[in-house]
Amino acid sequence: MPVTYDLDGQKRAYATWAKFYDRIYQNMLARPQREAVEAACACGPDILEIGVGTGLTLSYFTPDSRVLGADLSLDMLKVAHRKVESQKLDHVHGLMVMDACRLGFGDERFDAVTAQFVITLVPNPEQALAEMDRVLKPGGEIIISSRLVDDGGLLAPFWSAVAPLSKAIGWSSDFKVSRLTEWAKATGRYETVHVGRGYFKVVRLRKHASADNAQSKA
Ligand SMILES: C[S@@+](CC[C@H](N)C(=O)[O-])C[C@H]1O[C@@H](n2cnc3c(N)ncnc32)[C@H](O)[C@@H]1O
């Protein structure tokens, strides 16, 4: 997975990856992707999938969901669009080119926002999280799946040490779980309800149902 921090570079990289992506990642990412989608569907029907890519996750959503997919790369979206057509994924209501840090939706539009294997690629993850927060309804969840490192885990220093090497071969190896959970805590409006285990993790951040609720938890 390319880790480049300029958006044009990202688009160029994924124009190439679009041709091979499914063959390499379909089986490798299926477990966390299914887990994230299941959690999103439990929140309600209106779901935004940021960095939807070639649409590997789209067939996992329930038929009664209403999914919008956004991605920086038109080339990846074209593959996703073919999937939606050929597999008749009628629950997918739209696919659009969009930057995670500038979402073109109104406030509190979605029951859940998922970002799978994309947060580590975004130049400013906190800005992307702020946008996810803006478009999420109270009571909804931001659901992230990615290669995330446990803070203080025995291997954390190892993953930090090999981070430059990982970037050279296209992986992010040192994005820590705490970057997400600390953001959630700092907002005063989110609770971390799940942090998965293993190499690929799902993290679920739940937005308090109302301002009153947030104050009572503060
Ligand atoms: C590793 S792929 C993951 C695709 C899909 N979510 C999956 O799980 O298979 C990362 C995707 O994120 C997209 N992406 C990277 N930076 C982005 C950004 N700033 N905003 C939106 N999408 C972005 C890329 O174009 C690519 O399609």
Side-chain angles (χ1 to χ4, degrees):
M1 288 179 209
V3 181
T4 53
Y5 289 124
D6 67 295
L7 297 186
D8 286 337
Q10 195 80 245
K11 283 185 207 166
R12 277 197 301 277
Y14 276 100
T16 305
W17 270 99
K19 303 180 189 88
F20 314 106
Y21 187 86
D22 285 9
R23 262 175 283 161
I24 295 172
Y25 290 113
Q26 183 156 21
N27 293 329
M28 196 190 297
L29 305 183
R31 182 201 56 80
Q33 287 174 333
R34 282 180 184 278
E35 183 186 336
V37 167
E38 191 180 336
C41 290
C43 294
D46 287 308
I47 299 165
L48 173 63
E49 173 99 350
I50 294 174
V52 64
T54 62
L56 273 185
T57 62
L58 292 174
S59 65
Y60 303 150
F61 288 87
T62 54
D64 64 334
S65 51
R66 295 186 289 263
V67 181
L68 293 180
D71 199 285
L72 205 55
S73 164
L74 180 60
D75 296 278
M76 294 290 270
L77 286 176
K78 282 180 181 166
V79 181
H81 184 255
R82 285 201 289 276
K83 238 177 230 119
V84 170
E85 298 274 296
S86 64
Q87 297 178 24
K88 300 192 186 338
L89 303 175
D90 295 337
H91 57 277
V92 179
H93 286 212
L95 296 170
M96 51 215 74
V97 175
M98 208 175 276
D99 177 6
C101 293
R102 280 179 288 274
L103 298 176
F105 302 106
D107 298 353
E108 301 185 359
R109 162 85 171 72
F110 298 99
D111 297 303
V113 180
T114 52
Q116 307 215 44
F117 300 93
V118 58
I119 198 74
T120 61
L121 306 174
V122 175
N124 184 341
E126 285 74 18
Q127 192 183 336
L129 287 163
E131 274 293 85
M132 294 183 213
D133 171 36
R134 182 182 64 75
V135 301
L136 184 68
K137 291 179 192 170
E141 287 188 17
I142 294 174
I143 301 161
I144 310 272
S145 53
S146 256
R147 165 71 190 127
L148 299 169
V149 180
D150 288 314
D151 296 79
L154 284 178
L155 290 176
F158 168 77
W159 291 120
S160 294
V162 299
L165 180 65
S166 303
K167 280 185 183 166
I169 60 164
W171 277 96
S172 161
S173 75
D174 61 348
F175 195 105
K176 297 200 168 47
V177 169
S178 63
R179 190 145 181 196
L180 303 174
T181 55
E182 289 300 320
W183 173 85
K185 198 170 164 190
T187 65
R189 287 177 286 104
Y190 278 81
E191 188 185 351
T192 300
V193 291
H194 175 78
V195 176
R197 298 168 70 90
Y199 191 77
F200 298 129
K201 293 182 178 55
V202 176
V203 174
R204 291 170 41 207
L205 310 174
R206 186 175 299 150
K207 191 173 187 173
H208 296 158
S210 70
D212 294 347
N213 190 2
Q215 275 161 10
S216 69
K217 291 192 179 200

